[in-house]
Amino acid sequence: MPEPIEVRKVPINHVTDASGLAKLIDEGIIEADRVIAIIGKTEGNGGVNDYTRIIADRAFREVLVEKGTRSLDEVKQIPIVWSGGTDGVLSPHATIFATLPPEKAIPTDEPRLTVGFAMSEPILPEEIGRRGMIEKVAAGVREAMKRAGIDDPADVHYVQTKTPLLTIHTIRDAKSRGKTVWTENTHESMDLSNGTTALGIAVALGEIEMPDDADVMHRRDLYSSVASCSSGVELDRAQIVVVGNTRGIGGRYRIGHSVMRDALDTDGIWAAIRDAGLELPERPHPSDLKGRLVNVFLKCEASSDGQVRGRRNAMLDDSDVHWHRQIKACVGGVTASVTGDPAVFVSVSATHQGPDGGGPVAAIVDLGPEPVTGYTPASI
């Protein structure tokens, strides 16, 4: 049986800041040795050379080593997934997941938050965009589900991954071994890695059958409704965090999910919050959340037809500002307008993650007694 989960969101006040994590440990809210995953947003450019992810990763791991008993090598095994780029009103932050001793958890037989993690086998550069990567990711997802105590894929509401993308170095490595790569465009490989990973998640959860290599990045009707995939230069395998619900472990948190059908679909965000178990009026307002929303996690994508609700936009034709940054800022603003909190996890490059032009949404809510642990804006 997995242990109950404590989950908190903390701000990142500058690129090397991990004081929010340190404060949670110092105040006894979580134990350093019980932190099992961290998912956050950093303020870099979100591109191949976004080193704010590496800087933040080091800062948070240093706190876990300093304040716990685990060695640096042990702490390096903890999945810490950073999505770079806080365009628009998005605010840098981290969501921290830690286990609780069962005796400290609120007892309940209702479904409550559970987390499992796994690392895939190393992913070779020639496998990115191809079946080899899909199979390795799917195997990792199944392992993470076991660790979360989840048997039914319907109880999985969010799968966050971080996978390698292609760099000049890894492309050269593949060629030196007589292999080919899907693309030699390193920035394009970010979308490619994310999309291939999402297909692996969808296969593991039974959302789709195993696709062919030719389907990758082309069959937009093949997607996962719970995948949130990021990629970067800082690892050579898939870090996989499976978040869902299970009965019997207790705790105060629950997760739900839905999808945004397009970039303006606020109803998709509210649907995920409702799916997590929070009762809301028919037409809710951020004030109805009452501090019970811990965080939402979204993926977004510019629609391949260059339109939103029948109106043309120029994102995909813009040579000055890449569409990654434009759609992230747009959906970040839409999401913050729902939650009343700009510190929301909005990540771009959502191929095979939700429908074309939209993306998956997961929401974690606090269903425990007062005082609640989510964010309450100073004013709404």
Side-chain angles (χ1 to χ4, degrees):
M1 176 69 72
E3 292 183 294
I5 299 294
E6 182 66 41
V7 55
R8 297 293 179 101
K9 180 170 65 179
V10 298
I12 298 177
N13 297 311
H14 52 79
V15 71
T16 61
D17 177 39
S19 62
L21 170 61
K23 184 178 179 181
L24 289 175
I25 297 169
D26 291 343
E27 293 179 351
I29 295 171
I30 62 173
E31 297 177 30
D33 289 346
R34 285 183 168 272
V35 172
I36 57 172
I38 298 173
I39 300 171
K41 291 291 299 182
T42 65
E43 61 202 77
N45 62 23
V48 175
N49 66 335
D50 183 352
Y51 298 108
T52 64
R53 297 185 299 239
I54 298 174
I55 295 169
D57 191 88
R58 178 178 297 175
F60 275 72
R61 292 187 195 275
E62 286 176 350
V63 169
L64 293 177
V65 171
E66 176 190 347
K67 294 186 175 294
T69 63
R70 290 183 286 195
S71 68
L72 178 58
D73 285 341
E74 290 173 315
V75 167
K76 284 181 178 179
Q77 301 307 308
I78 300 169
I80 300 183
V81 180
W82 298 108
S83 171
T86 49
D87 303 87
V89 300
L90 289 172
S91 184
H93 68 279
T95 304
I96 299 156
F97 298 84
T99 60
L100 276 179
E103 63 274 13
K104 290 187 176 182
I106 297 170
T108 177
D109 289 328
E110 292 298 308
R112 287 296 183 264
L113 192 72
T114 183
V115 178
F117 62 92
M119 298 286 282
S120 77
E121 294 297 316
I123 295 170
L124 301 175
E126 62 266 26
E127 292 177 321
I128 297 174
R130 294 167 177 157
R131 183 164 177 162
M133 184 176 186
I134 295 172
E135 291 174 340
K136 287 180 177 179
V137 169
V141 171
R142 295 185 185 106
E143 178 62 29
M145 286 177 62
K146 290 179 183 177
R147 294 180 178 180
I150 296 176
D151 298 319
D152 186 350
D155 291 326
V156 175
H157 293 274
Y158 176 45
V159 182
Q160 178 65 57
T161 62
K162 191 78 175 188
T163 50
L165 44 72
L166 291 169
T167 65
I168 296 300
H169 172 74
T170 58
I171 292 170
R172 191 165 59 241
D173 170 65
K175 288 182 175 181
S176 73
R177 294 181 285 102
K179 304 296 183 180
T180 64
V181 293
W182 199 94
T183 180
E184 294 191 23
N185 183 321
T186 58
H187 197 275
E188 180 184 35
S189 77
M190 180 179 296
D191 295 348
L192 175 67
S193 181
N194 293 352
T196 311
T197 302
L199 291 173
I201 294 168
V203 168
L205 300 180
E207 295 177 282
I208 62 171
E209 299 295 326
M210 177 64 73
D212 296 326
D213 284 356
D215 295 330
V216 178
M217 305 300 287
H218 298 296
R219 286 281 306 276
R220 297 301 181 101
D221 59 314
L222 301 179
Y223 63 82
S224 171
S225 295
V226 298
S228 176
C229 306
S230 294
S231 52
V233 299
E234 61 266 37
L235 70 174
D236 66 354
R237 63 194 70 205
Q239 285 185 343
I240 301 164
V241 182
V242 167
V243 188
N245 297 313
T246 191
R247 294 180 182 272
I249 63 172
R252 61 189 302 132
Y253 303 102
R254 183 170 170 175
I255 188 169
H257 81 276
S258 185
V259 296
M260 291 180 75
R261 295 294 170 183
D262 61 33
L264 304 179
D265 184 15
T266 56
D267 286 340
I269 303 171
W270 287 117
I273 297 170
R274 284 193 175 95
D275 190 54
L278 200 61
E279 294 185 6
L280 297 167
E282 182 178 355
R283 299 304 302 173
H285 182 268
S287 60
D288 296 315
L289 297 172
K290 303 185 187 308
R292 290 195 173 273
L293 179 65
V294 177
N295 208 0
V296 289
F297 306 84
L298 300 89
K299 292 294 292 188
C300 60
E301 182 93 353
S303 179
S304 60
D305 64 5
Q307 298 186 56
V308 175
R309 301 194 181 181
R311 295 291 195 182
R312 182 178 71 91
N313 63 72
M315 281 188 287
L316 296 177
D317 291 324
D318 194 331
S319 297
D320 295 314
V321 181
H322 196 276
W323 67 263
H324 275 195
R325 309 200 73 163
Q326 298 189 50
I327 192 65
K328 192 189 306 177
C330 168
V331 175
V334 170
T335 305
S337 74
V338 169
T339 64
D341 182 3
V344 287
F345 187 91
V346 177
S347 176
V348 76
S349 185
T351 306
H352 301 305
Q353 299 152 76
D356 184 29
V361 187
I364 296 176
V365 302
D366 180 351
L367 298 178
E370 301 281 352
V372 293
T373 59
Y375 178 74
T376 302
S379 62
I380 297 179

